[in-house]
């Protein structure tokens, strides 16, 4: 029967049109594009989609201390010269050695030397010893400046002197100085904890992160003070870059999904090894930014929990898109196979899934709009008078219940 054959062919074409999986193909890409746009609006640059996907499953967050949990803006708090050494001589030698370094400690030492009208000598040779300090030749004198352990390693006979000086700068970051084999003492420096660091830790726990740790190359006393102030679960101090890397590898081998936040050259290997590496891009080094999968353009730690929440919201939207695509296609299949959908209407019905997926995905573009950009903006509160949960993440909570800042 020609009519039956024609009708059957039309029904077959109609079925093919309504079940075309274009909506399914759009389910993930559209959500990712929208999520990238939402992240970019808050200064979060995500390099690849796999980093966003990995962020959704993070259960362990590792934070570098200097420049991440703390501001990274040091101030010289104490000169602790060794016995028989003048403080001015110690500061002079420290400035001589550190004049070509980009480390925050070096910049603070040079700034203090400038205020004291101490001019660094002519540098003839300069070398950065990875994770330990710097070696320089200035005015024909060899100067070492860096960790106390490194100084002891180079000159074991200075152990007692180094220990005595470290007792004087307890709780501070120290730069020890050795000039022509003579131990001169150490420069003690301090920086401040970021005002919202504790809020970030609390929010991470609210999101289900099981372990929050601080890894640092600084002395244990300094690291412990910072860790206790912000409430982390674990502190690893006096870590060399390779030791940080090994700790991250161990965590991943234990089945943990690790997000690492750092800003320095020494953090590069760890950032590259973690499931998600986040670089504090504004004040961090280029190596850290290039090694990480995510860069923060505004150095606001509150963007870290936002990234995790955005990743989870994106994963949820993708699942909604997939389910909706199947449901819409299944309904269309039943209707088309039953002859209730004409071939002309099938074209429009086919677009229903596409429109839904695109519209549902692009809701993510506006995700985060409620997070205040202005650090001084007063946050909306709930019935109990506390900051509303949905607003508390993105805004700097300086205006509401600001915690005391540790020095």
């Amino acid at each position: 029967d020609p009519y039956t054959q024609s009708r059957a062919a039309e029904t077959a074409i109609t079925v093919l049109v309504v079940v075309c999986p274009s909506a399914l193909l759009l389910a993930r890409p559209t959500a990712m594009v929208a999520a990238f746009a939402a992240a970019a609006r808050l200064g979060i640059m995500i390099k690849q989609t796999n980093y966003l996907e990995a962020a959704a499953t993070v259960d362990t967050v590792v934070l570098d201390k200097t420049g991440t949990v703390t501001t990274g803006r040091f101030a010289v708090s104490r000169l602790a010269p060794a016995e028989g050494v003048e403080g001015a001589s110690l500061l002079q030698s420290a400035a001589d050695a550190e004049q070509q370094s980009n480390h925050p400690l070096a910049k603070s030492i040079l700034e203090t030397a400038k205020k004291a009208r101490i001019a660094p000598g002519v540098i003839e040779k300069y070398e950065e010893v990875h994770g330990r300090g710097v070696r320089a030749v200035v005015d024909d004198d060899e100067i070492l400046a860096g960790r106390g352990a490194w100084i002891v390693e180079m000159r074991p006979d200075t152990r007692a002197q180094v220990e005595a000086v470290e007792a004087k700068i307890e709780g501070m970051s120290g730069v020890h100085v050795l000039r022509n084999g003579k131990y001169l003492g150490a420069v003690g420096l301090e920086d401040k904890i970021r005002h919202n660091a504790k809020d970030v830790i609390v929010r991470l726990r609210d999101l289900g992160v099981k372990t929050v740790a601080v890894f640092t190359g600084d002395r244990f006393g300094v690291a412990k003070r910072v860790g206790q102030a912000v409430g982390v679960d674990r502190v690893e101090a006096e870590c060399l870059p390779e030791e940080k890397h090994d700790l991250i590898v161990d965590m991943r081998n234990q089945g943990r999904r690790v997000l690492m936040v750092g800003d320095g050259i020494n953090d590069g290997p760890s950032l590259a090894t973690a499931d998600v590496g986040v670089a504090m891009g504004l004040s961090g080094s280029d190596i850290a930014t290039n090694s990480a999968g995510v860069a923060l353009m505004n150095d606001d730690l509150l963007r870290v929990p936002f990234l995790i929440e955005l990743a989870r919201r994106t994963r949820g939207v993708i699942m909604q898109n997939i389910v909706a695509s199947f449901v819409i296609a299944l309904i269309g299949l039943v209707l088309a196979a039953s002859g209730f959908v004409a071939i002309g209407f099938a074209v429009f019905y086919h677009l229903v899934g596409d429109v839904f997926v695109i519209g549902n995905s692009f809701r993510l573009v506006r995700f985060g709009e409620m997070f205040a950009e202005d650090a001084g903006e007063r946050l909306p509160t709930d019935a109990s008078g506390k900051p509303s949960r949905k607003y508390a993440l993105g805004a700097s909570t300086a205006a509401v219940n600001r915690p005391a800042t540790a020095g």
Side-chain angles (χ1 to χ4, degrees), residues 275-338:
D275 294 282
V276 184
V278 180
M280 305 290 279
L282 189 61
S283 63
S285 70
D286 291 340
I287 291 178
T289 303
N290 291 333
S291 300
V294 179
L296 305 183
M297 297 294 101
N298 51 17
D299 283 353
D300 185 356
L301 266 185
L302 284 164
R303 272 29 179 187
V304 174
F306 172 80
L307 172 65
I308 296 174
E309 191 169 358
L310 175 64
R312 293 177 181 176
R313 179 68 65 90
T314 303
R315 182 177 60 181
V317 167
I318 291 174
M319 291 304 300
Q320 293 170 10
N321 290 345
I322 292 173
V323 171
S325 300
F326 277 114
V327 170
I328 292 171
L330 183 61
I331 293 173
L333 173 62
V334 173
L335 294 176
S338 303

Side-chain angles (χ1 to χ4, degrees), residues 18 46 50 80 82-83 88 104-106 124 133 190 219 228 230-231 263 286 290 299 319 326 346 362 364 393:
V18 297
I46 305 172
N50 61 299
E83 186 176 353
L105 292 173
E124 300 164 16
E190 292 181 300
R219 299 166 60 220
Q228 289 177 338
V230 299
D263 73 318
D286 291 340
N290 291 333
D299 283 353
M319 291 304 300
F326 277 114
F362 275 73
L364 287 169
L393 173 59

Side-chain angles (χ1 to χ4, degrees), residues 160-225:
Q161 291 176 291
V162 170
E163 290 176 353
V165 166
E166 286 192 337
K168 297 179 182 178
I169 57 171
E170 182 66 32
M172 304 179 193
S173 300
V175 176
H176 296 259
V177 182
L178 188 76
R179 186 164 193 147
N180 285 338
K182 180 182 179 181
Y183 180 64
L184 301 184
V187 180
L189 303 98
E190 292 181 300
D191 66 343
K192 294 183 178 180
I193 297 172
R194 292 185 186 273
H195 70 271
N196 57 10
K198 192 170 184 178
D199 295 325
V200 171
I201 307 302
V202 171
R203 182 58 182 152
L204 288 172
R205 298 195 196 285
D206 289 345
L207 291 172
V209 174
K210 297 177 182 178
T211 304
V212 182
V214 169
F215 290 177
T216 178
D218 214 335
R219 299 166 60 220
F220 179 74
V222 180
K224 182 179 179 181
R225 174 179 62 83

Side-chain angles (χ1 to χ4, degrees), residues 84-105:
V85 177
E86 295 291 333
S89 299
L90 170 62
L91 184 58
Q92 174 73 66
S93 295
D96 288 344
E98 299 282 12
Q99 58 185 293
Q100 290 190 359
S101 175
N102 290 321
H103 195 280
L105 292 173

